[in-house]
Amino acid sequence: MVNCWSFTRNHPQQNLRLHIAFFPPHPQRHTLPLLVCFEASGISPAPRQEQLSMAEVAACKRIKTEKELGARPDGAAAVAAEEGRPDGEISAKINSEALLCRICPGPLKPPIFKCEAGHVLCSPCLEKLRLDGFALKLEIFCDLCCKTTSYRRCVELELLINAIKVPCSNQTYGCNESIRYHEKEKHESECTHAPCHCPETDCTFRGAICCLLEHFITAHGWSPTNFSYNKPLKVSVARDHCFTLLVGEDQSMFLLTNTLTGIGNALSMVCVRPHESGPNYSCNISAANSVVGGKAEGRLVFQKDPLVLSSSLSGGVRLGKFFLLVPPELADNPSGELTVHIRVDRLVA
């Protein structure tokens, strides 16, 4: 049995009669009450809708919500979340040659141009073609088309190039940056996570700067000497000991290198870090025969390095142009050690 009622409402233009029928729930499908409306005044009634089950209604609501929120019903968003990728990103393999300029060949980066046939090249190469054409009194040409042509911006490729991101090569050493492909070389030339190397002979260790300090202590038994900038420091160096480890108050790491020569010991300072970034330092190194009452007596040698060399030690330790040559007679006779006075100043940018 169907329960229904009707009412009539006067409209300025036409008479509307709305019949609202409520249907009882289906015994098996558990259907919802269905609302059917008919319009009067010559307008045909709307076709009767099929009754939907509760599961079908819920599915329709879910799909509608996903469309309104911009979600993807194919489940790609869920897969991306499970893989730890931000929504909207995909992983793909691309032949790197497709991302290079056909003339340089350097990585393509905006602005990118293409000829009438679609051959692309970077902005500097386009400028060179223009200059060559001007010198030869020719119009701009395409070397692949072998004819004069016109160039315009390739915006679609620029969008793709800017969307391609790659991990830093120093990911193993702690860098979690994802950078644009054409900015990879620049980033890695400044990346603070780039590895540094152990200068000891036959040691192949390489790692982040913090790991290198631990390696010096645990693997080679080096004892670091902590010091403050702009203050003198006195250290004793054995004539046959190659490296003395110093750590500044900002945790910057320095090596006092000792190179034994036929005419004495060549001492120099190097700041161990992957790049010439951050603060710069100057250094004073001196040595004397003996010190009595805080004053040096006898012969004194002194060297000032206005800019301490920075190095990742990838090629070992090289003697810089600023070094102090300490003659053998300045070594302590009983111990054979060199007493060296050092002052490292942090330069103001």
Side-chain angles (χ1 to χ4, degrees):
M1 178 178 182
V2 177
N3 299 322
C4 66
W5 70 89
S6 64
F7 64 92
T8 303
R9 179 180 178 183
N10 293 328
H11 192 274
Q13 285 79 24
Q14 59 185 356
N15 184 44
L16 299 180
R17 181 177 298 276
L18 304 180
H19 296 274
I20 306 176
F22 290 88
F23 295 90
H26 193 280
Q28 295 181 351
R29 298 184 64 190
H30 305 289
T31 56
L32 296 174
L34 182 64
L35 176 63
V36 182
C37 300
F38 300 92
E39 295 184 358
S41 299
I43 301 177
S44 300
R48 177 171 176 172
Q49 302 179 9
E50 292 291 335
Q51 298 185 29
L52 302 178
S53 67
M54 297 182 66
E56 291 170 335
V57 171
C60 292
K61 289 183 178 180
R62 178 179 58 81
I63 294 176
K64 179 180 179 182
T65 302
E66 288 177 343
K67 290 182 178 179
E68 290 176 350
L69 297 177
R72 293 168 292 175
D74 57 0
V79 174
E82 291 178 0
E83 295 179 356
R85 293 184 282 109
D87 189 18
E89 291 189 358
I90 61 172
S91 298
K93 291 183 178 181
I94 300 177
N95 188 339
S96 60
E97 293 182 358
L99 305 177
L100 302 179
C101 174
R102 59 181 175 80
I103 296 180
C104 304
L108 285 170
K109 58 183 177 180
I112 302 172
F113 296 86
K114 64 179 179 180
C115 72
E116 295 174 354
H119 301 134
V120 297
L121 74 169
C122 64
S123 178
C125 288
L126 176 60
E127 186 62 27
K128 291 178 182 178
L129 288 181
R130 284 175 176 163
L131 293 176
D132 292 343
F134 178 79
L136 298 173
K137 298 182 180 181
L138 298 173
E139 296 182 10
I140 189 168
F141 64 94
C142 174
D143 58 321
L144 293 182
C145 296
C146 298
K147 65 178 182 179
T148 59
T149 185
S150 61
Y151 283 86
R152 61 186 178 87
R153 287 282 292 273
C154 188
V155 180
E156 59 272 25
L157 183 57
E158 291 179 3
L159 293 175
L160 176 63
I161 290 293
N162 280 332
I164 297 176
K165 294 185 177 181
V166 294
C168 176
S169 298
N170 300 315
Q171 189 177 42
T172 307
Y173 307 108
C175 183
N176 297 319
E177 292 286 336
S178 292
I179 56 270
R180 292 175 178 171
Y181 176 77
H182 60 83
E183 296 176 348
K184 184 174 185 289
E185 183 177 355
K186 180 179 182 296
H187 167 82
E188 292 180 354
S189 67
E190 303 170 349
C191 181
T192 56
H193 295 276
C196 294
H197 302 251
C198 179
E200 283 281 15
T201 306
D202 299 329
C203 183
T204 60
F205 177 85
R206 54 180 292 175
I209 188 68
C210 57
C211 299
L212 182 62
L213 177 59
E214 182 180 359
H215 170 79
F216 285 155
I217 297 173
T218 58
H220 301 296
W222 292 8
S223 179
T225 300
N226 298 305
F227 70 95
S228 300
Y229 298 117
N230 307 321
K231 293 182 180 180
L233 174 69
K234 178 182 176 181
V235 295
S236 296
V237 181
R239 294 193 67 233
D240 59 350
H241 189 66
C242 298
F243 307 108
T244 301
L245 179 60
L246 307 174
V247 179
E249 57 194 30
D250 58 357
Q251 300 304 306
S252 293
M253 190 162 53
F254 298 83
L255 283 184
L256 177 64
T257 65
N258 177 22
T259 304
L260 186 61
T261 70
I263 57 175
N265 293 74
L267 304 179
S268 64
M269 186 74 75
V270 59
C271 179
V272 183
R273 55 183 175 182
H275 307 292
E276 288 275 4
S277 58
N280 294 320
Y281 307 92
S282 64
C283 179
N284 298 332
I285 306 176
S286 63
N289 283 93
S290 60
V291 177
V292 179
K295 295 182 179 180
E297 295 184 351
R299 188 176 179 183
L300 171 71
V301 289
F302 174 85
Q303 176 65 53
K304 179 178 178 64
D305 187 349
L307 183 63
V308 175
L309 176 69
S310 295
S311 174
S312 65
L313 307 179
S314 59
V317 176
R318 298 182 178 88
L319 196 62
K321 60 181 179 180
F322 293 99
F323 61 91
L324 176 67
L325 184 61
V326 182
E329 57 267 24
L330 292 187
D332 294 336
N333 291 329
S335 62
E337 293 183 341
L338 302 175
T339 301
V340 182
H341 296 266
I342 302 171
R343 171 171 167 158
V344 178
D345 295 338
R346 181 170 177 169
L347 303 179
V348 179

